[in-house]
Amino acid sequence: MVEFRIDRRSGVATYLQIVQQVKQALRLGLLAPGDKLPTAKEVVAATAINPNTVLKAYRELDREGLVEARPGLGTFVRRSLARPQAAADSPLRAELTGWMERAREAGLEREDVAALLASVLEEGFDGPGGSAGQGRGPRETNKGSG
């Protein structure tokens, strides 16, 4: 089961943090179709946020077709966003883990890594030669499907 971490200093709305964390768990294969999300009551107990915030996040996920509420039973994952290339045992993840170790050894802090990663993501997906549909892999060619 996913455990939500709320960063009150991030500037990102709390409900969006929940949405993003569910999507990340779906992408990494940590949540799969049929899995049950924590109840609003469980999330409130763990994070001390308003139950309406949790329900708003779950409604957004439902609107996007990722989860479905089953009255009296809970909220369940409807579909996955996982790709084999992003799995916990994928070669790409192993390479990224190695890179992360080197970054820490070089003295980079979390914020440094986040800035560097954001810069590379921007260049790789939105910059010159990185726009969708230019043969940059299956992620780009399937962009409209999920």
Side-chain angles (χ1 to χ4, degrees):
M1 183 179 289
V2 67
E3 294 181 23
F4 298 112
R5 295 165 311 285
I6 304 303
D7 182 355
R8 299 182 196 298
R9 298 172 296 154
S10 73
V12 177
T14 303
Y15 89 96
L16 285 177
Q17 291 183 50
I18 293 172
V19 169
Q20 290 169 350
Q21 290 175 39
V22 168
K23 287 181 176 181
Q24 180 176 354
L26 290 169
R27 288 187 192 289
L28 295 175
L30 301 174
L31 285 173
D35 287 350
K36 183 179 178 187
L37 294 182
T39 65
K41 186 176 184 177
E42 291 168 336
V43 176
V44 168
T47 61
I49 62 174
N50 187 305
N52 289 327
T53 301
V54 180
L55 297 174
K56 182 176 182 179
Y58 285 10
R59 279 193 305 272
E60 175 64 21
L61 291 163
D62 186 24
R63 187 188 67 74
E64 293 183 28
L66 298 174
V67 303
E68 64 181 332
R70 298 180 191 160
L73 297 175
T75 303
F76 293 83
V77 174
R78 182 182 293 165
R79 67 182 179 94
S80 175
L81 296 174
R83 296 177 190 263
Q85 303 90 331
D89 60 350
S90 77
L92 287 174
R93 183 178 176 98
E95 288 179 38
L96 189 55
T97 300
W99 180 89
M100 186 68 233
E101 290 171 5
R102 291 190 303 279
R104 289 186 67 167
E105 289 169 2
L108 294 180
E109 295 182 8
R110 178 183 294 265
E111 292 80 12
D112 301 321
V113 170
L116 185 56
L117 181 59
S119 173
V120 171
L121 280 171
E122 180 74 21
E123 291 170 13
F125 285 98
D126 298 329
S131 61
Q134 290 192 357
R136 296 197 53 96
R139 173 126 181 99
E140 297 304 319
T141 58
N142 293 330
K143 214 165 199 170
S145 66

